[in-house]
Amino acid sequence: MKPAAPSSIMVDEAAPQTFTLTVMFDGQRFDCGSYISRTAAMQAGRLFLQRKEGEAANGRTKRKPGKK
């Protein structure tokens, strides 16, 4: 098992009251959209990382339709 790459959350102000969220996880970059505040973008980034870490811990990579 390879060591996990550090994860990071980057929030940039693209325009007044428009913040873009980019998350780095396991060597991959995810562009996660635009938000109206830095706080909202940071919260979304933390939730995204929690989900990705949970998927990595469970060995789950994507949803499979019809499977429970």
Side-chain angles (χ1 to χ4, degrees), residues 19-66:
F19 296 87
T20 58
L21 171 63
T22 304
V23 178
M24 294 292 291
F25 180 78
D26 196 26
Q28 293 182 296
R29 176 187 168 117
F30 298 91
D31 293 320
C32 300
S34 298
Y35 296 84
I36 61 170
S37 73
R38 186 175 299 275
T39 304
M42 287 300 292
Q43 182 179 12
R46 285 190 296 271
L47 291 172
F48 183 85
L49 280 179
Q50 283 178 353
R51 183 173 63 94
K52 292 307 249 179
E53 288 166 355
E55 288 175 358
N58 294 327
R60 182 176 168 194
T61 56
K62 64 180 181 178
R63 288 182 175 253
K64 294 183 179 154

